[in-house]
């Protein structure tokens, strides 16, 4: 069991521990003031470096959107189903130009292949035959049946 004893007095009615406690409180207070002034200085330096006032004046809507985004992320909205849906939509929209270019390239290649096929069928040599409606070479001897006898 713990017993408590009164500290010895130094004759002034105030114990030496109380003086030490008061000095520690004063020291903590001055250190807190020093820390507060350092923090304010760091924030003002950061504000000058980022030029937040100038950015807000130049682009107020962009800064509001940035603040909303930072607040959303810091508020824990990063790992929600809504964020997943928004990211999926963003990826799809970002991929749209690439898919469009790829589809246009495929369509151009198909058109060139079709045009090349038409020119070889129409301008190619067909020995003894003609091009029928179905594109099958028919012989004048068979009457268009497609069979050569």
């Amino acid at each position: 069991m713990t017993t408590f004893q009164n500290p010895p007095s130094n004759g002034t009615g105030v114990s030496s521990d109380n003086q030490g406690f008061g000095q520690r409180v004063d020291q903590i207070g001055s250190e807190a003031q020093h820390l507060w002034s350092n923090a304010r200085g760091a924030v003002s330096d950061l504000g000058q470096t980022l030029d937040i006032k100038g950015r807000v004046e130049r682009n107020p809507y962009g800064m509001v959107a940035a603040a909303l985004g930072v607040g959303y992320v810091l508020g824990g909205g990063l790992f929600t189903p809504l964020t997943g849906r928004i990211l999926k939509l963003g990826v799809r929209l970002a991929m749209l130009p690439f898919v469009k270019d790829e589809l246009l390239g495929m369509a151009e290649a198909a058109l060139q292949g079709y045009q090349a096929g038409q020119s070889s069928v129409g301008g190619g040599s067909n020995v003894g035959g003609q091009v029928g409606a179905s594109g099958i070479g028919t012989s004048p001897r068979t009457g268009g049946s497609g069979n050569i006898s």
Side-chain angles (χ1 to χ4, degrees):
M1 187 172 222
T2 306
T3 58
F4 296 101
Q5 297 177 355
N6 288 335
S9 178
N10 60 1
T12 61
V14 178
S15 67
S16 61
D17 283 344
N18 286 342
Q19 283 181 345
F21 180 73
Q23 289 174 350
R24 281 186 269 161
V25 168
D26 288 340
Q27 183 182 5
I28 290 172
S30 65
E31 288 177 3
Q33 267 186 331
H34 183 65
L35 180 65
W36 179 255
S37 65
N38 285 344
R40 288 182 73 176
V43 168
S44 68
D45 288 345
L46 180 65
Q48 289 175 355
T49 302
L50 295 178
D51 187 30
I52 292 178
K53 280 188 177 183
R55 288 179 190 259
V56 169
E57 289 173 2
R58 289 188 302 268
N59 191 2
Y61 294 117
M63 291 302 289
V64 168
L68 285 173
V70 169
Y72 184 76
V73 169
L74 292 178
L78 195 58
F79 300 110
T80 61
L82 175 65
T83 303
R85 283 188 234 128
I86 290 172
L87 286 176
K88 284 181 187 178
L89 178 65
V91 167
R92 287 180 183 166
L93 289 176
M95 292 299 294
L96 192 60
F98 298 114
V99 171
K100 182 184 102 177
D101 290 342
E102 188 66 30
L103 287 174
L104 285 175
M106 290 171 50
E108 287 175 357
L111 183 62
Q112 289 174 356
Y114 178 73
Q115 288 174 345
Q118 285 292 337
S119 65
S120 68
V121 170
S125 63
N126 193 357
V127 179
Q130 300 170 352
V131 177
S134 65
I136 299 173
T138 58
S139 173
R141 292 184 296 160
T142 61
S145 66
N147 296 328
I148 300 178
S149 50

